[in-house]
Amino acid sequence: MALGFWQSTLGKKIVMGVTGLIMIGYLCAHLLGNMKIFFGPGEFNAYGHWLRVMGAPVLHHQWGLWIARLVLLASVVLHAVSAYQLSRRDIKARPQKYVHTKPRMSYATRTMRWGGVILGLFIVWHILDLTTGTTHSGGFQEGHPYQNVVDTFSTWYGNVIYIVAMLAMGMHVRHGFWSAAQTLGAGNHTRDRALKAIANALAIVLTAGFISIPVGVMTGVVS
């Protein structure tokens, strides 16, 4: 039954919707934690330490963090695979391209595919930069996330990569939240306006919030 659900078009759309909402929830929580950087290194480094001990004493050191990582990784993989397979099905269903593009197709709709690719590449870079320190500039310091963030956004390429990715993320969230709501049956004639407002608000708040961090470093507010 589970296999049949996964193989169906509706099943893949539901998987995309649910995993998309999980990732949006993660982004909201991640942004709240990242805002602590504006309260100084002590506050932000303490938050980084808490991530490694959350769930203690029930959970062992970093178990809570790894559980969150595995849930997020599973969501990203299922989301990407579903999106790819649905795209392939759509192409097979209409092998001839449309003569005319839909005139009211939004910018977010047209860029969902390459936006997802940008975000996928960004996630890899972000992990190598601030989690493992593999590509980090300025000397990665384990247990000092505040200084590591400042190092990254003290480089022009760190700012460019991050800001471009966050703009793509905002467009992805805006369209993705709306699509998930429709797929999961939350949308109707009376709720559509509110759902669109929520989608727009989420996109704006998340984009502006995350971009405020490199801007804070560039302007010296975070140093």
Side-chain angles (χ1 to χ4, degrees):
M1 185 175 179
L3 180 61
F5 173 80
W6 167 250
Q7 291 178 337
S8 69
T9 297
L10 178 59
K12 292 184 187 299
K13 288 183 177 181
I14 291 175
V15 169
M16 274 196 72
V18 172
T19 54
L21 292 178
I22 289 173
M23 288 186 284
I24 289 174
Y26 165 79
L27 287 171
C28 292
H30 192 47
L31 177 61
L32 285 174
N34 281 1
M35 288 297 97
K36 288 181 175 291
I37 199 167
F38 292 102
F39 297 93
E43 189 91 8
F44 194 68
N45 289 339
Y47 164 66
H49 173 72
W50 173 81
L51 288 176
R52 285 160 175 74
V53 299
M54 63 178 174
V58 177
L59 298 178
H60 191 59
H61 184 68
Q62 290 198 27
W63 279 18
L65 181 60
W66 274 106
I67 290 172
R69 284 172 173 170
L70 290 174
V71 170
L72 186 61
L73 176 62
S75 297
V76 170
V77 171
L78 288 171
H79 193 81
V81 171
S82 297
Y84 174 76
Q85 292 181 348
L86 285 170
S87 176
R88 298 303 302 172
R89 287 186 181 184
D90 184 52
I91 292 172
K92 288 181 180 180
R94 49 177 182 82
Q96 299 299 322
K97 294 183 178 180
Y98 291 127
V99 176
H100 300 291
T101 304
K102 293 180 181 179
R104 294 188 178 182
M105 185 180 292
S106 69
Y107 181 78
T109 302
R110 294 197 306 269
T111 58
M112 281 295 283
R113 291 177 184 175
W114 64 257
V117 172
I118 288 175
L119 291 174
L121 294 173
F122 167 75
I123 290 171
V124 173
W125 174 80
H126 197 51
I127 291 173
L128 293 175
D129 178 39
L130 292 176
T131 300
T132 67
T134 307
T135 62
H136 186 74
S137 61
F140 184 76
Q141 300 181 47
E142 183 69 37
H144 294 83
Y146 184 94
Q147 187 57 50
N148 292 332
V149 170
V150 171
D151 287 344
T152 291
F153 297 132
S154 294
T155 63
W156 68 267
Y157 58 85
N159 290 315
V160 170
I161 292 172
Y162 193 86
I163 291 173
V164 169
M166 291 306 99
L167 291 172
M169 178 273 297
M171 299 301 288
H172 213 76
V173 165
R174 178 178 176 272
H175 183 76
F177 179 86
W178 168 252
S179 296
Q182 302 305 308
T183 298
L184 298 176
N188 60 35
H189 181 68
T190 58
R191 290 196 291 263
D192 280 355
R193 188 172 181 178
L195 288 170
K196 287 181 180 179
I198 293 172
N200 289 332
L202 276 171
I204 292 171
V205 170
L206 288 172
T207 303
F210 282 117
I211 288 179
S212 71
I213 299 172
V215 170
V217 175
M218 285 188 286
T219 58
V221 173
V222 177
S223 63

